[in-house]
Each structure stands twice: as structure tokens, then as C-alpha cells.
Amino acid sequence: MSHYRNLHRIATVVGLVLSVSLWAQDAPQGAHKPKLAELNDLGDMISVDGFWEPDNPTKQNEVVPTAVHIECFRHGGKGGNLTRTEAFCVVATAMAPTGILMADFSFQGASWSDDEIVISDDSPICLINKTFFDLKRKTVTGLDIRKPEAKGFANSCKLLPDRQSYYLRDRVDYALFHEPVKK
């Protein structure tokens, strides 16, 4: 008897997934408002999962789909010599731009107040990446700022916009509703 109940549960779940997928395909363009990734706040530690999306998507600023997992800790960075700041974040990413999975992680110093956490990465050749964690609204946004002095290979840095802002989109919402830019 329990075997039939398990089959029924599996059939119900498969039916729900197919229904959501078909509904998502039939929804008119632009009808779905993306859901932001929400911070999991555990006091002196936060975590978040999602996909970066440009605020104003165009063909020029389209990003390679990148899964992001970030954990930030209010204490332990300086004493353990992980970073030069007390607060720190571990940023893990995974993407498959050529069909081959690439994964990476880094430790980044952070500033942490009662309202926000900010991490800044100055290591890319052309850009400074800033990530802002709004602790009151429990959301994450990003900002790329082109370094004015950076040249890059064959002056490639000049092709980038001066500033580009992003939001961290909920991973399930991204999987169900993400549409490539058609412009």
C-alpha cells in the first residue's frame, strides 16, 4: 500500500513541475516580475544563493549564467589572517560558458554595519566589483565600476560601460522564468 502512495506522491510532484513549466512558457513576455534572492540572516552570519542579472538587460551587458553562493561572517577574518578586515565573506561561483563547468571561490574582506554589508573586489583587470547586502530588506545588489586608468588587452576595458548595476535573483525563479535578452 505504501508503494502506491509513494507513486502517487511522485506523480503529483511531476505534475506540478510540468504545470509550472508549461505555465511559465505560456506567460506573456515581461509578465513575470523577477524575484530577488533573499538573505538568510543568522545574526553574525548571513548566506544567500542566486544568479546575477543586470538591472537593465541588453545584448551588450548580457551575463553568462552564474550560480552564486555567498556566506558572510561578522567576526574572524582578521584574527585568522583570512582577510585584512574583521568581517569577511566566502563567495562561491559556478558557470559553464563553454559547456564545461567552472567553479571558483574566494575570501573577501567586508565592512559590516547594522544596516548593510559591503564587499569590494579590486582584482579584475578592468573593474571594481562591489556587492551590497541590505540587511533590513534582505536583498543583494552589485555594481561594476570601470577603472578609468585600466587599459586591458588591446584597450578592451574601454568597451565596458562606466557603471553597471545588478540584482541577485532567486535561483528557483531564475530556473523557471529567466528569458535571454532579445534586443
Side-chain angles (χ1 to χ4, degrees), residues 23-139:
W23 174 79
Q25 290 174 0
D26 290 340
Q29 289 283 23
H32 177 76
K33 182 178 179 184
K35 181 180 177 205
L36 301 178
E38 189 172 324
L39 283 174
N40 300 307
D41 188 347
L42 303 172
D44 285 349
M45 184 263 195
I46 59 104
S47 69
V48 66
D49 294 292
F51 284 81
W52 286 117
E53 293 265 290
D55 280 328
N56 296 303
T58 65
K59 235 0 179 177
Q60 288 74 33
N61 70 4
E62 192 171 22
V63 295
V64 173
T66 304
V68 179
H69 174 79
I70 305 172
E71 291 183 6
C72 294
F73 302 87
R74 192 170 198 146
H75 305 290
K78 201 170 193 174
N81 292 324
L82 290 173
T83 65
R84 292 187 174 143
T85 60
E86 179 67 16
F88 72 98
C89 299
V90 179
V91 180
T93 59
M95 66 177 93
T98 61
I100 298 172
L101 182 63
M102 296 171 31
D104 190 24
F105 78 95
S106 62
F107 292 98
Q108 297 181 4
S111 63
W112 189 312
S113 72
D114 290 340
D115 296 328
E116 75 175 356
I117 301 167
V118 179
I119 57 178
S120 183
D121 184 2
D122 196 8
S123 65
I125 294 170
C126 298
L127 301 170
I128 297 170
N129 307 115
K130 292 197 173 278
T131 306
F132 303 91
F133 303 81
D134 184 329
L135 298 176
K136 293 194 186 289
R137 291 166 191 82
K138 297 188 176 200
T139 59

